[in-house]
Amino acid sequence: MLDGPNGRREGANEHLLWLDQIGIKDIAKVGGKNASLGEMLGNLTEKGIRVPEGFAVTTKAFRWFVENAELDDKVKETLSGVDPDDPEKVSEMGRRIRSAFLEAGFPAELEREIKYGYWELGRRLGLKNPSVAIRSSATSEDSDGASFAGQHETILNVRGQGAVLKAIRQCFASLFTDRAIAYRAHRGFEQLGNALSVGVQRMVRSDQACSGVMFTLDTESGFDKVVYITGSWGLGEMIVQGAVNPDQFYVFKPALGKFEDPIVEKKLGGKRQKLVYSSKGNGMIDLEVTERDRKRFVLNDDEIVTLAKWACMIEEHYGKPMDIEWAKDGVTGDLYVVQARPETVHAARGKGELETYVLEERSDVLVSGEAVGSKIGAGVVNVLESAFEISEFRKGEVLVTDKTDPDWEPIMRIASAIVTDRGGRTCHAAIVSRELGIPCIIGTGDGTKQLRDGQKVTVDTSEGEGRVYDGVLRFRVDKRNLKAIPETKTKIFMNVAVPEHVFTQGQIPCDGVGLARLEFIIASHIGIHPMALIEFEKLQAMAADDPEVASIVAKIDDRTQGYEDKTEFFLDRLAWGVGKIAATFYPKDVIVRLSDFKTNEYGNLLGGRLYEPVEYNPMIGWRGASRYYDPKFSPAFALECAALRRVRDRKGLTNVKVMVPFCRTPDEGRKVIRTMADFGLKQGENDLEIYVMCEIPSNVIMAEEFAEVFDGFSIGSNDLTQLTLGLDRDSELVSHLYDERNPAVKNLVETVVRTAKAKGRKVGICGQAPSDFPEFADFLVELGIDSMSLNPDTVIATKLRVAEKEKSLGVGK
């Protein structure tokens, strides 16, 4: 064993370079991965970003190895006329070349240099035989437009000189894996024009903590005002391989360093497995994660914010969106960046066109999971257990498997869609399917069991959630040139339902959000009656004598794992939901309507039957404004106000305005305004505007008085129509009479628009009418309404129509 630099050449070394000696200009010498690590070590460590030290075995050393073993002719001869679409042939070629590499020896002098480098790294770390990561770094990888996700070998927890030499040889051989050969051929890279460097880097003890991946944009929509972070316990390979569903975090970039809490979403992942060091010294083993660790986040808020700040520094340094791997050392508690490369999918897409896939038929949903991309694909199911079954897969089939790794790429390239049991949005299947532009559903749990070979299916990722439908269904692709969408004097807002779709919806040209419904977020993200959370301890005491209450308590406790104070669960979830919507459209207005559940709807929430009365006509009962100041509900309303205060004050999203629904009288409006002020939401403070929904005839008849209370009106044409015509819009018996275009309804709309404008108040509409009836939109333009809020799928068409109508009226922007 080499115990010092004996026999090592002095002076410049062309075969081994320390990472802190290199930068991005040295890609030709050390490949993209090593060059990026060196670039960060040299330029970003002074800003606080930690990068593990190490050295690079250069591309010149690789070429020396190839030349010394006379591998050039072997590669040329074997790959002559390679067809990347013939997987079996590629597999045979790759196997022969890799065998030759693994059997070849190092030049004696190069072997001494590598042994010396490993010894010196140990000396610098104060360790004998330190654990290192051996990472391939090709000259063509991690460049703009080519991610080469997992194309070449990475070997973790390597100890000892012999093991290091063996791992480097494996990395050299991985230049010619089946997937790498096919990938280069498809991308037009020369097979022999490529060279490989290998990085030898100190291992971060994330096996005792956590690791993950982060992007400086949203990976699905390309929305670039957030940092998207994923994390799981143990070494990061589990996330990349798609073996776990990781925790997910979104951080709003403009709030970083300016406001107390820039986190706009946290989602707990399953994290059932983790990769840790083997007790035998080299390699890793797979362990089950304890239930306690599965049900808690891998990062605290300070760590999430630190990583987000680092991501922004790296993005600013490189001047482009980045894909970054991070790790936390379980011994020291320190965070590290272990890799950074340009993001390749959204960087390569033009932003001038909006492409929308629309499913035109429906059928039974066979399985569902997390959507990757926003497309639709259809074909015959082929369930495969292993990439070695490549000969059994045909072009255009739907690949269904447990998870993918780079060996699957020849199959993935010819699939119409991909469905996996496991994985998160930064796993291999997700990354590659985005780059290939094919729909992918990950984390179905049991897709391989529910779907069968030969079954015809449609894979839909166009609506936020990934769904596999039975049969081949019709769909269309709408394309819009965004640069051709005109500006209008009438503001065109969007109605937003739930936060899951908002980053994609935010790319549709509009002026903000005219209606974001709190009850939608409460129903989908919380699902528990707020009073049951407030009185959780009281319910626990009741549970001993009441089996029904005991069942409710158990379900609440399970759903709110990690929260000792159950009201914090409500506050976090509601603040994240509203915050994500507000961040997407910032600094444009986002009008958030306070909760407007009816008693029967509140009763359907977990624990709701304990607190809600039974009403025969809840549509005109205890709903909206009348609940907020009522002592039976005001503690729950206090939580709503506290969540909105978090969004505006702690996250800095003051573009959030508040709207009060179903306010029957001006006096009731004043009560609500006072109640909100008592709970910390004071009208006019920090530019807070409070609007009223105009959906009751009294809102129109007393519009002048309501204008003295509120900052503006938003017409809710749905309720206004049913209350004007005296019918239940949910009743099939009278549904044929329900029509917003009825002259009585239009008369009320015209009255309130004219009154609001005379009083100097803003007035818009957020009901369904202009979304459903283009002629109703024309009518509103003629009235001079300030804004219309529309369903996302009608925003562009209505905006174009409004522009034409304004032009015909001689109205300018």
Side-chain angles (χ1 to χ4, degrees), residues 386-400:
S386 165
F388 293 115
E389 300 172 272
I390 193 168
S391 61
E392 299 176 17
F393 196 85
R394 299 290 175 265
K395 185 174 182 179
E397 290 181 334
V398 174
L399 171 62
V400 180

Side-chain angles (χ1 to χ4, degrees), residues 503-796:
F503 288 154
T504 298
Q505 292 169 343
Q507 297 179 65
I508 300 171
C510 68
D511 297 300
V513 174
L515 177 62
R517 305 169 176 91
L518 276 197
E519 66 269 13
F520 279 22
I521 300 172
I522 293 170
S524 62
H525 288 233
I526 298 170
I528 306 170
H529 195 287
M531 290 304 299
L533 295 170
I534 292 168
E535 297 187 349
F536 185 72
E537 291 185 1
K538 179 180 176 182
L539 295 181
Q540 283 181 308
M542 294 168 56
D545 302 317
D546 190 327
E548 182 183 355
V549 174
S551 175
I552 292 169
V553 166
K555 290 175 182 176
I556 292 175
D557 208 27
D558 181 65
R559 194 173 296 185
T560 60
Q561 281 285 340
Y563 287 89
E564 187 173 337
D565 180 350
K566 302 304 181 182
T567 62
E568 282 295 315
F569 175 79
F570 186 96
L571 292 172
D572 274 347
R573 294 299 180 96
L574 194 56
W576 293 336
V578 174
K580 189 174 180 181
I581 296 170
T584 302
F585 292 88
Y586 184 85
K588 298 174 182 175
D589 284 355
V590 170
I591 301 173
V592 176
R593 189 179 74 184
L594 298 169
S595 63
D596 192 26
F597 280 128
K598 291 79 175 173
T599 49
N600 59 322
E601 294 167 337
Y602 258 125
N604 288 332
L605 296 177
L606 184 57
R609 299 295 177 201
L610 302 176
Y611 297 96
E612 294 297 321
V614 176
E615 295 184 293
Y616 289 106
N617 196 343
M619 187 73 78
I620 54 173
W622 193 39
R623 60 177 285 199
S626 61
R627 299 181 73 101
Y628 306 150
Y629 55 86
D630 190 312
K632 295 189 296 294
F633 187 79
S634 60
F637 183 60
L639 292 183
E640 285 185 39
C641 293
L644 292 174
R645 204 167 65 245
R646 285 188 180 187
V647 173
R648 287 178 48 83
D649 299 344
R650 292 173 56 181
K651 300 182 190 297
L653 294 164
T654 53
N655 57 325
V656 168
K657 318 296 181 186
V658 177
M659 183 156 63
V660 178
F662 226 75
C663 184
R664 293 172 168 95
T665 68
D667 184 56
E668 184 169 60
R670 283 186 280 269
K671 287 182 181 178
V672 172
I673 297 285
R674 287 196 297 270
T675 302
M676 291 175 65
D678 290 341
F679 295 146
L681 283 178
K682 187 174 182 180
Q683 188 176 30
E685 193 172 274
N686 203 10
D687 298 322
L688 175 61
E689 294 180 353
I690 303 176
Y691 303 147
V692 64
M693 284 282 285
C694 180
E695 53 191 337
I696 307 170
S698 65
N699 299 142
V700 181
I701 296 166
M702 302 188 71
E704 289 191 6
E705 289 85 349
F706 276 102
E708 298 296 328
V709 179
F710 295 99
D711 297 297
F713 298 82
S714 185
I715 301 165
S717 58
N718 300 359
D719 271 339
L720 185 61
T721 300
Q722 78 165 343
L723 294 174
T724 300
L725 300 179
L727 53 82
D728 181 351
R729 57 188 164 103
D730 290 339
S731 171
E732 294 181 2
L733 299 175
V734 293
S735 61
H736 63 285
L737 294 171
Y738 181 89
D739 191 336
E740 298 98 321
R741 295 167 296 180
N742 184 284
V745 179
K746 292 179 70 175
N747 182 272
L748 292 180
V749 170
E750 181 174 355
T751 298
V752 75
V753 170
R754 299 201 187 287
T755 303
K757 295 180 81 66
K759 296 290 289 185
R761 295 303 193 196
K762 296 176 183 177
V763 60
I765 187 168
C766 62
Q768 195 71 21
S771 293
D772 289 349
F773 307 115
E775 65 271 27
F776 202 94
D778 291 344
F779 163 68
L780 295 170
V781 174
E782 290 170 355
L783 291 180
I785 199 166
D786 293 321
S787 65
M788 301 180 207
S789 195
L790 308 152
N791 296 338
D793 59 347
T794 64
V795 165
I796 292 177

